[in-house]
Short mmCIF file of all heavy atoms in Angstrom, two decimals:
data_model
loop_
_atom_site.label_atom_id
_atom_site.label_comp_id
_atom_site.label_asym_id
_atom_site.label_seq_id
_atom_site.Cartn_x
_atom_site.Cartn_y
_atom_site.Cartn_z
N THR A 1 0.86 -1.19 0.00
CA THR A 1 0.00 0.00 0.00
C THR A 1 0.88 1.22 0.00
O THR A 1 1.76 1.36 0.84
CB THR A 1 -0.90 0.02 1.25
OG1 THR A 1 -1.75 -1.13 1.24
CG2 THR A 1 -1.76 1.28 1.27
N ALA A 2 0.65 2.12 -0.95
CA ALA A 2 1.45 3.35 -1.06
C ALA A 2 0.53 4.56 -0.99
O ALA A 2 -0.51 4.61 -1.66
CB ALA A 2 2.23 3.37 -2.38
N VAL A 3 0.92 5.53 -0.17
CA VAL A 3 0.18 6.79 -0.05
C VAL A 3 0.89 7.83 -0.91
O VAL A 3 2.06 8.15 -0.68
CB VAL A 3 0.12 7.27 1.40
CG1 VAL A 3 -0.75 8.52 1.51
CG2 VAL A 3 -0.43 6.17 2.31
N LEU A 4 0.19 8.35 -1.89
CA LEU A 4 0.72 9.40 -2.76
C LEU A 4 -0.06 10.68 -2.46
O LEU A 4 -1.18 10.86 -2.91
CB LEU A 4 0.57 9.00 -4.24
CG LEU A 4 1.11 7.61 -4.61
CD1 LEU A 4 0.89 7.33 -6.09
CD2 LEU A 4 2.58 7.49 -4.26
N ALA A 5 0.56 11.55 -1.67
CA ALA A 5 -0.17 12.69 -1.10
C ALA A 5 0.08 13.99 -1.84
O ALA A 5 -0.28 15.06 -1.35
CB ALA A 5 0.22 12.85 0.37
N GLU A 6 0.67 13.95 -3.02
CA GLU A 6 1.11 15.19 -3.64
C GLU A 6 -0.04 16.07 -4.14
O GLU A 6 0.17 17.24 -4.47
CB GLU A 6 2.07 14.90 -4.79
CG GLU A 6 1.51 14.12 -5.95
CD GLU A 6 2.60 13.91 -7.00
OE1 GLU A 6 2.75 14.78 -7.87
OE2 GLU A 6 3.29 12.89 -6.93
N LEU A 7 -1.26 15.55 -4.18
CA LEU A 7 -2.39 16.38 -4.60
C LEU A 7 -2.96 17.22 -3.47
O LEU A 7 -3.73 18.15 -3.72
CB LEU A 7 -3.51 15.49 -5.17
CG LEU A 7 -3.16 14.67 -6.42
CD1 LEU A 7 -4.31 13.74 -6.77
CD2 LEU A 7 -2.84 15.58 -7.60
N ILE A 8 -2.59 16.89 -2.23
CA ILE A 8 -3.20 17.59 -1.09
C ILE A 8 -2.92 19.09 -1.10
O ILE A 8 -3.86 19.89 -0.98
CB ILE A 8 -2.73 16.98 0.25
CG1 ILE A 8 -3.15 15.52 0.36
CG2 ILE A 8 -3.30 17.77 1.43
CD1 ILE A 8 -2.67 14.83 1.63
N PRO A 9 -1.66 19.54 -1.25
CA PRO A 9 -1.42 20.99 -1.16
C PRO A 9 -2.18 21.81 -2.19
O PRO A 9 -2.75 22.87 -1.87
CB PRO A 9 0.10 21.10 -1.37
CG PRO A 9 0.64 19.78 -0.97
CD PRO A 9 -0.41 18.79 -1.39
N SER A 10 -2.22 21.35 -3.44
CA SER A 10 -2.91 22.12 -4.47
C SER A 10 -4.42 22.11 -4.25
O SER A 10 -5.10 23.12 -4.49
CB SER A 10 -2.56 21.59 -5.86
OG SER A 10 -2.76 20.20 -5.95
N ALA A 11 -4.97 20.99 -3.76
CA ALA A 11 -6.41 20.95 -3.49
C ALA A 11 -6.77 21.83 -2.30
O ALA A 11 -7.80 22.52 -2.31
CB ALA A 11 -6.85 19.51 -3.24
N GLN A 12 -5.93 21.84 -1.26
CA GLN A 12 -6.20 22.65 -0.08
C GLN A 12 -6.22 24.13 -0.42
O GLN A 12 -6.99 24.91 0.15
CB GLN A 12 -5.14 22.38 1.01
CG GLN A 12 -5.23 21.01 1.65
CD GLN A 12 -6.29 20.94 2.75
OE1 GLN A 12 -7.40 21.40 2.56
NE2 GLN A 12 -5.95 20.35 3.87
N THR A 13 -5.35 24.56 -1.32
CA THR A 13 -5.28 25.98 -1.68
C THR A 13 -6.15 26.33 -2.88
O THR A 13 -6.23 27.49 -3.27
CB THR A 13 -3.83 26.38 -1.98
OG1 THR A 13 -3.31 25.57 -3.05
CG2 THR A 13 -2.95 26.19 -0.75
N GLY A 14 -6.79 25.33 -3.50
CA GLY A 14 -7.63 25.59 -4.66
C GLY A 14 -6.86 25.93 -5.91
O GLY A 14 -7.39 26.57 -6.82
N ASP A 15 -5.61 25.47 -6.00
CA ASP A 15 -4.80 25.70 -7.19
C ASP A 15 -5.03 24.53 -8.15
O ASP A 15 -4.26 23.57 -8.22
CB ASP A 15 -3.32 25.80 -6.81
CG ASP A 15 -2.44 26.21 -7.98
OD1 ASP A 15 -2.91 26.15 -9.13
OD2 ASP A 15 -1.27 26.57 -7.75
N TRP A 16 -6.09 24.63 -8.96
CA TRP A 16 -6.50 23.49 -9.77
C TRP A 16 -5.63 23.30 -10.99
O TRP A 16 -5.55 22.18 -11.53
CB TRP A 16 -7.97 23.62 -10.12
CG TRP A 16 -8.80 23.63 -8.87
CD1 TRP A 16 -9.50 24.66 -8.35
CD2 TRP A 16 -8.93 22.54 -7.94
NE1 TRP A 16 -10.07 24.30 -7.15
CE2 TRP A 16 -9.74 23.00 -6.87
CE3 TRP A 16 -8.45 21.23 -7.89
CZ2 TRP A 16 -10.07 22.20 -5.78
CZ3 TRP A 16 -8.78 20.43 -6.81
CH2 TRP A 16 -9.59 20.92 -5.77
N ALA A 17 -4.95 24.33 -11.43
CA ALA A 17 -3.97 24.15 -12.51
C ALA A 17 -2.82 23.27 -12.03
O ALA A 17 -2.36 22.36 -12.74
CB ALA A 17 -3.45 25.50 -12.99
N ASP A 18 -2.36 23.51 -10.81
CA ASP A 18 -1.31 22.69 -10.22
C ASP A 18 -1.83 21.28 -9.96
O ASP A 18 -1.10 20.29 -10.16
CB ASP A 18 -0.81 23.33 -8.93
CG ASP A 18 0.38 22.61 -8.33
OD1 ASP A 18 1.41 22.53 -9.01
OD2 ASP A 18 0.28 22.11 -7.19
N TRP A 19 -3.07 21.16 -9.52
CA TRP A 19 -3.67 19.84 -9.30
C TRP A 19 -3.67 19.03 -10.59
O TRP A 19 -3.31 17.83 -10.58
CB TRP A 19 -5.09 20.02 -8.77
CG TRP A 19 -5.84 18.78 -8.43
CD1 TRP A 19 -5.86 18.13 -7.23
CD2 TRP A 19 -6.73 18.04 -9.29
NE1 TRP A 19 -6.69 17.03 -7.28
CE2 TRP A 19 -7.23 16.95 -8.53
CE3 TRP A 19 -7.13 18.20 -10.61
CZ2 TRP A 19 -8.12 16.02 -9.07
CZ3 TRP A 19 -8.01 17.26 -11.15
CH2 TRP A 19 -8.50 16.19 -10.39
N LEU A 20 -4.04 19.65 -11.69
CA LEU A 20 -4.05 18.96 -12.98
C LEU A 20 -2.64 18.52 -13.37
O LEU A 20 -2.43 17.38 -13.83
CB LEU A 20 -4.63 19.87 -14.07
CG LEU A 20 -6.14 20.11 -14.03
CD1 LEU A 20 -6.53 21.24 -14.96
CD2 LEU A 20 -6.89 18.82 -14.40
N ALA A 21 -1.67 19.41 -13.17
CA ALA A 21 -0.29 19.08 -13.52
C ALA A 21 0.23 17.91 -12.69
O ALA A 21 0.92 17.02 -13.20
CB ALA A 21 0.61 20.30 -13.35
N ARG A 22 -0.10 17.91 -11.41
CA ARG A 22 0.35 16.84 -10.54
C ARG A 22 -0.31 15.51 -10.90
O ARG A 22 0.32 14.44 -10.86
CB ARG A 22 0.06 17.19 -9.08
CG ARG A 22 0.97 18.28 -8.52
CD ARG A 22 0.49 18.76 -7.15
NE ARG A 22 1.34 19.80 -6.60
CZ ARG A 22 2.29 19.58 -5.69
NH1 ARG A 22 2.50 18.36 -5.22
NH2 ARG A 22 3.04 20.56 -5.22
N LEU A 23 -1.59 15.55 -11.25
CA LEU A 23 -2.28 14.32 -11.62
C LEU A 23 -1.73 13.78 -12.94
O LEU A 23 -1.63 12.56 -13.13
CB LEU A 23 -3.78 14.56 -11.70
CG LEU A 23 -4.68 13.32 -11.67
CD1 LEU A 23 -4.36 12.44 -10.46
CD2 LEU A 23 -6.15 13.71 -11.64
N GLN A 24 -1.36 14.67 -13.85
CA GLN A 24 -0.74 14.23 -15.10
C GLN A 24 0.59 13.53 -14.80
O GLN A 24 0.95 12.54 -15.45
CB GLN A 24 -0.51 15.42 -16.03
CG GLN A 24 -1.77 16.07 -16.56
CD GLN A 24 -2.54 15.20 -17.55
OE1 GLN A 24 -3.72 15.40 -17.82
NE2 GLN A 24 -1.89 14.18 -18.10
N ARG A 25 1.34 14.04 -13.82
CA ARG A 25 2.60 13.41 -13.45
C ARG A 25 2.35 12.02 -12.85
O ARG A 25 3.10 11.07 -13.12
CB ARG A 25 3.36 14.29 -12.47
CG ARG A 25 4.76 13.79 -12.16
CD ARG A 25 5.66 14.86 -11.58
NE ARG A 25 5.20 15.33 -10.29
CZ ARG A 25 4.77 16.57 -10.07
NH1 ARG A 25 4.73 17.46 -11.07
NH2 ARG A 25 4.39 16.94 -8.86
N LEU A 26 1.30 11.90 -12.04
CA LEU A 26 0.95 10.58 -11.49
C LEU A 26 0.59 9.61 -12.62
O LEU A 26 0.88 8.41 -12.53
CB LEU A 26 -0.21 10.71 -10.52
CG LEU A 26 0.08 11.40 -9.18
CD1 LEU A 26 -1.20 11.61 -8.39
CD2 LEU A 26 1.07 10.60 -8.35
N GLU A 27 -0.03 10.12 -13.66
CA GLU A 27 -0.35 9.27 -14.82
C GLU A 27 0.92 8.65 -15.40
O GLU A 27 0.97 7.44 -15.67
CB GLU A 27 -1.06 10.11 -15.88
CG GLU A 27 -1.16 9.49 -17.27
CD GLU A 27 -2.24 8.43 -17.40
OE1 GLU A 27 -3.03 8.27 -16.44
OE2 GLU A 27 -2.31 7.77 -18.45
N GLN A 28 1.95 9.48 -15.59
CA GLN A 28 3.19 8.99 -16.20
C GLN A 28 3.97 8.08 -15.26
O GLN A 28 4.52 7.05 -15.69
CB GLN A 28 4.05 10.18 -16.63
CG GLN A 28 3.39 11.09 -17.65
CD GLN A 28 3.00 10.36 -18.92
OE1 GLN A 28 3.77 9.56 -19.44
NE2 GLN A 28 1.80 10.62 -19.41
N GLU A 29 4.04 8.46 -13.99
CA GLU A 29 4.92 7.76 -13.06
C GLU A 29 4.27 6.56 -12.38
O GLU A 29 4.97 5.65 -11.93
CB GLU A 29 5.42 8.74 -11.99
CG GLU A 29 6.28 9.87 -12.57
CD GLU A 29 6.71 10.87 -11.51
OE1 GLU A 29 6.32 10.69 -10.33
OE2 GLU A 29 7.40 11.84 -11.85
N TRP A 30 2.94 6.53 -12.33
CA TRP A 30 2.25 5.48 -11.58
C TRP A 30 1.19 4.74 -12.38
O TRP A 30 1.24 3.52 -12.49
CB TRP A 30 1.62 6.08 -10.31
CG TRP A 30 2.64 6.41 -9.27
CD1 TRP A 30 3.28 7.59 -9.08
CD2 TRP A 30 3.18 5.51 -8.29
NE1 TRP A 30 4.18 7.51 -8.04
CE2 TRP A 30 4.14 6.25 -7.53
CE3 TRP A 30 2.95 4.18 -7.97
CZ2 TRP A 30 4.85 5.66 -6.48
CZ3 TRP A 30 3.65 3.60 -6.92
CH2 TRP A 30 4.59 4.34 -6.20
N PHE A 31 0.21 5.45 -12.91
CA PHE A 31 -0.92 4.78 -13.53
C PHE A 31 -0.51 4.00 -14.78
O PHE A 31 -0.91 2.83 -14.95
CB PHE A 31 -2.03 5.77 -13.87
CG PHE A 31 -2.49 6.60 -12.69
CD1 PHE A 31 -2.82 7.94 -12.85
CD2 PHE A 31 -2.56 6.06 -11.42
CE1 PHE A 31 -3.23 8.71 -11.78
CE2 PHE A 31 -2.97 6.82 -10.33
CZ PHE A 31 -3.30 8.15 -10.52
N ALA A 32 0.28 4.61 -15.67
CA ALA A 32 0.69 3.91 -16.89
C ALA A 32 1.55 2.68 -16.59
O ALA A 32 1.29 1.59 -17.13
CB ALA A 32 1.42 4.88 -17.82
N PRO A 33 2.59 2.79 -15.73
CA PRO A 33 3.37 1.58 -15.41
C PRO A 33 2.55 0.49 -14.72
O PRO A 33 2.74 -0.70 -14.99
CB PRO A 33 4.47 2.11 -14.49
CG PRO A 33 4.57 3.57 -14.79
CD PRO A 33 3.19 4.00 -15.14
N LEU A 34 1.65 0.88 -13.84
CA LEU A 34 0.83 -0.14 -13.16
C LEU A 34 -0.16 -0.80 -14.12
O LEU A 34 -0.40 -2.00 -14.02
CB LEU A 34 0.08 0.49 -11.98
CG LEU A 34 0.89 0.70 -10.71
CD1 LEU A 34 0.06 1.40 -9.65
CD2 LEU A 34 1.42 -0.63 -10.17
N LEU A 35 -0.70 -0.04 -15.05
CA LEU A 35 -1.60 -0.62 -16.04
C LEU A 35 -0.84 -1.64 -16.89
O LEU A 35 -1.35 -2.74 -17.16
CB LEU A 35 -2.21 0.47 -16.91
CG LEU A 35 -3.13 -0.02 -18.03
CD1 LEU A 35 -4.36 -0.73 -17.45
CD2 LEU A 35 -3.56 1.15 -18.92
#
């Protein structure tokens, strides 16, 4: 089990452009390799 908490700061501050960028990075580093 891995906790990936990098979306918390951008969501807490409402910086949704940063949230999108961070989720895109999770796509490359986590979701695509796991798929």
Side-chain angles (χ1 to χ4, degrees):
T1 298
V3 184
L4 308 180
E6 63 181 272
L7 298 174
I8 298 177
S10 52
Q12 290 279 46
T13 58
D15 187 346
W16 299 111
D18 186 61
W19 183 89
L20 287 168
R22 288 170 180 260
L23 198 53
Q24 293 291 161
R25 187 161 65 245
L26 290 173
E27 165 78 8
Q28 299 302 316
E29 296 177 359
W30 287 92
F31 306 142
L34 281 177
L35 178 63

